[in-house]
Amino acid sequence: MQGYGEMFFWHPVKIFIYEFFTLMVLFSSVSRGIDDICRLCCHIQGQEHSLNCSWNSLSDTEHTLYLQHLKNDLSVLNFTAPLGQNWLLIHREYLVMFDPYHLRLTAGGKEVQLNITFQTNGENVLLQPPILTPVEYEDHNIVVVKWEHQEHVSAEQEQALQYRKVGAANWTEVHNDLLEPNSYDLTNLDLYVEYEVQIRYLPKRSSNEKGSRWSKTLTFCTPGEVPCGLLDVWRSSVEGPTLRVQWKPLSNRTERDKILVYNVTYVHGGQTNTTEVQSCHIQLPSEATNICVSPKNQHGLGYVSCTPPSCSDLTPASGIKVWVDRSGGIKVSVREMLPAPEDPHTYLVECKELIEAGNTFLNWTRFPTTNQNLTLSGDFAPYVPYEVTVFVLYNNRCAGVASSVLYSQEGAPSAGPNVSIHLISADEAHLSWDELPLPHRRGNITSYTIYLNSTEHSLQQSVLGRNNCISGLLPNTAYTVRMTAWTGAGEGPPGCARKFRTGHITYQLVVIGVIFLLITIPLSLCTIWVVRRWIWTRIPNIETNQELIQNNFNWGLEQQEDPNTPITIVEEIEPPQQAPKPPEKIITSGYEKHFLPTPEEVMGLR
């Protein structure tokens, strides 16, 4: 702070311009009120009656405030604010009560000027706003706002009050005519919602009294009750050892007070179980049924909301379409009603981000069957895959009717596939590769391109699958192969290069012939040994059999009797009757049947 003894004489026209500008500011303040941000505003502060001046700039430019006493000596004082500070306090010792002053604020080659009269509620001097006291609650949903007046301010000074929900953009203003002395009753407020309120003195239109700025904000919360809203509960459709159940928290309007826990009931193994959780999800046994959730605050339990039954397997329906629009939003349209034995209750669209580690949290949206089109809300990241599944919820069952993997915005893949090579012959090779990992796809893969190069041969081929046979290669030639993947946005970079060399045709034939001989020669020798050892010894000699037959025949002729031998008559005696003996079973090996003579042949009867 420095004092200047030199005198300044202002031209009357310049003073008129300053006064005219001040008058315009006054009229604008009457119609709009004093904004929280002023180009240059001053008010008398505290019991010491210091003059506090502030402005709207918070830049790093140095601000200097010049104070000129207009009544007697026209002396000028200047005050410099530290960088980043948008206010200055001029102590009472530099001011004379009821005297006029001229203020000039300069910064960065620009200036703002203001004429004031140093007194409470003097010309262009702002009053300090009323002091808000803690609110009081009366009956049901009534909040009483109270305040106290500043010292030396009459209770007849007009005031205005404004309030809004915390976070809302617009204020609701209450004019002086509706205010009671030092209080106002706020009604029809939402339960268990945070509100904020401000108050100020209004300027007088008949004078240069500018009133005050808005007071500091007082925040309060309306009283609560038992939660009145229904939770939106959904169960994961992914099969596993456990079942994940999630629900969306209630809005502030329906919570009515801070939610302490969520009460979860379910049936497992024929028994009803109850548990409490603080989060909006829970892991249950996969066989759990009749799952219901209700919120609980300090006033009690709210309404019960239950999950739909387990959804049946996905049955695609032609009447439902899921796609991405030009702006990157995910849309669902129902072109025709689904054929069903009963009318569907509602549609539910489940959207989850596909990540390698697995998605634990879901996002879902319900919409009525009368709505033919739906746009999913949310910020969908580009190049990230989302699985969108549409379910139809009936009164007692659930069915999946559509599922798609979508990208809000596609990009070219960030990597290429790694190739595995298997040589089939000297002029043919089989290539195979794995799918790209999810983080590298950045879109739906539409095709692959194979780049095959050698010193004498090159090939570029597009394929759809994940394997391919390449023929027409040159024998005994070194090749280098690379592969790229394509999406709707373009081609990605090639993967790792793989090198291989084809074989020579003559060399391959020799190798095949040698292998054939090594296999067939031992096999032939083994076959001959088996035939000689086990088969030839069992075949009889035909010449030996014929000699045996001839000897048997000659023996039969020598044993015949002479026909002239006398015949003796013998009395026949009947033998005693005996039980017939069973015929003896003749066991033959088959050898006799085919090579020995029959009894008829031996007796010459045949």
Side-chain angles (χ1 to χ4, degrees), residues 21-35 203:
F21 174 77
T22 303
L23 186 61
M24 295 300 295
V25 172
L26 176 63
F27 284 140
S28 63
S29 66
V30 171
S31 60
R32 300 191 316 269
I34 305 299
D35 296 334

Side-chain angles (χ1 to χ4, degrees), residues 233-248:
V233 187
W234 181 239
R235 55 188 295 160
S236 173
S237 58
V238 179
E239 296 183 358
T242 60
L243 173 65
R244 186 178 187 86
V245 179
Q246 295 180 215
W247 53 90
K248 297 181 179 179

